[in-house]
Amino acid sequence: MLFSRASDETAPVRPGGRDTHMIEAAKGTRDILPAEIARWQLVEARARETFALFGFREIRTPIFEATELFARGIGEGTDIVAKEMYTFQDRKGRSLTLRPENTAPVARAYIQHQMHRGSDVERLYYIGPMFRYERPQKGRTRQFHQIGVEAIGSDNPAIDAETLQMLMLFLERLKIPSLTLQLGSAGDETCRPAYRQALVAELTPHRASLCDDCRRRLETNPLRCLDCKVPADQALMAQVTPIFDHLCAACREHLGAVRAHLDRLGVRHVLAPRLVRGLDYYRRTTFEVTQPALGAQSALLGGGRYDGLVQELGGPPVAGFGFAIGQDRLVLCLPPDLEGFEDRLDVVVAPLGGSALGPALSAASRLRLSGKRVVLDPLPEKSLKSQMRRAHDLQARFVLILGEEEVKNGTFTLKRMADGEQRRGPDPDLLRTLSEMSHD
Ligand SMILES: [Zn+2]
Ligand SMILES: [Zn+2]
């Protein structure tokens, strides 16, 4: 087996003629570079802090699952399952799919680990990449990232209200301006079938003018027409009878209770009478958080209640409520001056001349062990000028200059980048001098 890898190689290596063309990231994917990573990490840190306040704990499920999980959990008629999944066979012929969303995998894990035995309400969140084969466009990639939450085990409207409060608190802490919580209902098994019929009857006369997707949805999943992004269809959908007119008494009561709890918690919201969301498993509460600045596709995120999903996947008849936020978009919405994503370096150590490298390594080590962020480029042949330019590019606060003279005398020169202020001192005073210069 040791050599099996080599025997798999089919392309012969041409002597002296290796193919060295540049390989780029696969279409629809992108690198998140170090210059932007601090904003990603900040979003994740705020999510973890805020969700912990409400007793939510992280779950990490695999990136791929059995294809059947998504076919059953999301619904065969949805765009996701019909045309957007990355599905492949492994070496034993099993059909696997890169997760296009994570509610079904979390529900699968909930069932598999019998979490319903452990607690009445299981509060879970996840952070990670999802995969959908969509036409790449600005702000939309085939590998994208979601922060999501699932509260499984109760259909009490208090769960909806508390989870929505948590969501809005999270977004508030990220200082994202002018957000609106739109609250809707997808009905339930009592009232949704009648609405579905009424919607089909209302849309059928317009069939010829609908987009291709909506004509297909009219057969497979007519409620999904309400989410259409094509402007002409959107105008039509804004006119159709809202599901609010068809809600049964139990659904109306549930919606009323969610609203009353939100009011009690001080969470502002508006009603969205046609917000049903297309996924088959939604039941009763649906919502979106919109921001006018995002334009036509103004929804920053959405979610809702999915009371039938766990049972559909072979688990106990428990209810769930959750949401997923597109992290890529969320990061773009952050205000530029948001505090909290500090990733600046404290010190660049600049050794000048070969004899300075050893002392520079020792100084860098002392600084790091006292908690400072330090970079040392071992390029003693570089000029002071080019070391300063490097420090500027790295946005370091200080440069520690160790030239031949400093090394000979056992001293240092510390330069503050903000104003060029420079101080010298004997080696043992380094940490104290840095601390003084940081605070005055
Ligand atoms: Zn359409
Ligand atoms: Zn109902």
Side-chain angles (χ1 to χ4, degrees):
M1 286 310 287
L2 195 58
F3 298 104
S4 66
R5 193 85 204 161
S7 65
D8 281 349
E9 312 274 58
T10 49
V13 177
R14 283 171 288 132
R18 276 186 308 161
D19 190 353
T20 55
H21 73 279
M22 184 176 70
I23 299 168
E24 295 187 15
K27 185 176 178 185
T29 67
R30 73 180 198 95
D31 303 305
I32 301 164
L33 296 170
E36 50 186 329
I37 205 69
R39 297 167 76 80
W40 287 73
Q41 290 174 341
L42 174 82
V43 163
E44 290 159 19
R46 289 284 178 280
R48 291 178 201 285
E49 289 159 19
T50 312
F51 299 166
L53 293 177
F54 290 77
F56 281 75
R57 296 179 300 163
E58 185 174 2
I59 182 167
R60 300 187 188 184
T61 58
I63 279 177
F64 57 83
E65 299 269 358
T67 302
E68 187 193 0
L69 173 67
F70 301 111
R72 266 166 66 188
I74 303 175
E76 299 274 9
T78 58
D79 286 357
I80 296 176
V81 174
K83 23 178 223 193
E84 295 172 359
M85 295 208 302
Y86 273 95
T87 298
F88 59 96
Q89 290 202 340
D90 73 5
R91 286 165 183 272
K92 288 276 163 63
R94 288 172 283 242
S95 181
L96 301 172
T97 293
L98 297 181
R99 61 185 186 188
E101 59 94 57
N102 212 31
T103 296
V106 168
R108 195 263 313 137
Y110 175 91
I111 296 162
Q112 185 175 337
H113 302 288
Q114 305 197 332
M115 293 185 195
H116 63 281
R117 295 194 174 173
S119 63
D120 291 330
V121 182
E122 193 66 36
R123 295 177 173 84
L124 305 165
Y125 74 87
Y126 57 83
I127 298 175
M130 310 292 154
F131 306 86
R132 287 186 203 173
Y133 195 88
E134 293 182 281
R135 190 146 38 86
Q137 43 182 292
K138 190 174 178 292
R140 179 165 300 198
T141 46
R142 289 175 176 172
Q143 175 175 330
F144 57 101
H145 303 82
Q146 284 189 339
I147 298 175
V149 156
E150 313 292 348
I152 307 176
S154 166
D155 68 353
N156 195 300
I159 298 284
D160 311 34
E162 271 208 325
T163 309
L164 287 170
Q165 184 199 14
M166 177 176 87
L167 166 63
M168 297 315 282
L169 180 62
F170 167 56
L171 297 172
E172 203 173 287
R173 287 176 158 198
L174 291 173
K175 306 249 186 315
I176 298 174
S178 58
L179 295 176
T180 307
L181 173 59
Q182 314 251 2
L183 192 64
S185 175
D188 63 3
E189 64 283 0
T190 306
C191 54
R192 184 146 69 162
Y195 179 65
R196 198 178 150 116
Q197 272 186 353
L199 187 66
V200 171
E202 216 170 323
L203 290 179
T204 300
H206 303 276
R207 196 171 192 287
S209 68
L210 292 174
C211 74
D212 290 349
D213 284 335
C214 282
R215 277 204 295 275
R216 185 174 51 79
R217 289 167 186 151
L218 210 47
E219 316 293 330
T220 56
N221 189 2
L223 297 181
R224 191 73 216 256
C225 292
L226 295 166
D227 299 337
C228 186
K229 300 285 186 278
V230 176
D233 287 4
Q234 266 184 345
L236 175 64
M237 300 309 160
Q239 304 293 321
V240 300
T241 306
I243 192 167
F244 275 22
D245 291 1
H246 283 257
L247 293 181
C248 66
C251 286
R252 274 206 305 275
E253 192 183 322
H254 194 274
L255 179 61
V258 173
R259 298 196 68 196
H261 292 322
L262 287 176
D263 288 340
R264 184 173 291 110
L265 296 170
V267 180
R268 277 179 300 164
H269 58 279
V270 298
L271 287 178
R274 293 178 183 83
L275 180 64
V276 297
R277 297 179 63 80
L279 301 187
D280 283 356
Y281 54 66
Y282 279 114
R283 209 170 283 187
R284 292 195 177 146
T285 309
T286 56
F287 73 91
E288 282 182 355
V289 177
T290 56
Q291 191 190 34
L294 290 174
Q297 301 181 354
S298 68
L300 180 63
L301 72 128
R305 176 161 282 293
Y306 49 88
D307 291 359
L309 176 65
V310 174
Q311 195 170 17
E312 178 69 32
L313 294 176
V318 294
F321 182 89
F323 61 79
I325 309 175
Q327 195 180 355
D328 307 70
R329 254 180 141 187
L330 189 62
V331 166
L332 288 177
C333 292
L334 295 181
D337 55 348
L338 186 65
E339 285 175 21
F341 49 97
E342 190 54 72
D343 66 343
R344 284 180 68 179
L345 273 182
D346 295 304
V347 182
V348 163
V349 179
L352 303 172
S355 66
L357 187 54
L361 282 166
S362 304
S365 171
R366 276 170 66 202
L367 289 166
R368 289 186 186 117
L369 293 177
S370 75
K372 302 300 176 197
R373 300 173 179 193
V374 180
V375 159
L376 161 62
D377 287 337
L379 301 167
E381 71 282 5
K382 289 266 182 184
S383 68
L384 178 57
K385 197 174 160 195
S386 76
Q387 293 269 22
M388 296 301 290
R389 202 180 311 123
R390 174 86 171 130
H392 181 80
D393 290 346
L394 291 170
Q395 292 189 296
R397 293 173 201 284
F398 293 92
V399 178
L400 176 65
I401 301 163
L402 295 173
E404 306 220 340
E405 196 184 313
E406 279 91 352
V407 170
K408 197 170 71 193
N409 301 330
T411 59
F412 64 85
T413 299
L414 195 59
K415 184 184 174 97
R416 188 162 59 201
M417 294 298 282
D419 58 1
E421 159 96 357
Q422 224 167 269
R423 288 192 205 168
R424 290 164 201 276
D427 279 344
D429 288 355
L430 174 60
L431 291 173
R432 191 165 51 80
T433 307
L434 179 63
S435 163
E436 284 168 10
M437 289 180 79
S438 299
H439 293 110
D440 65 28

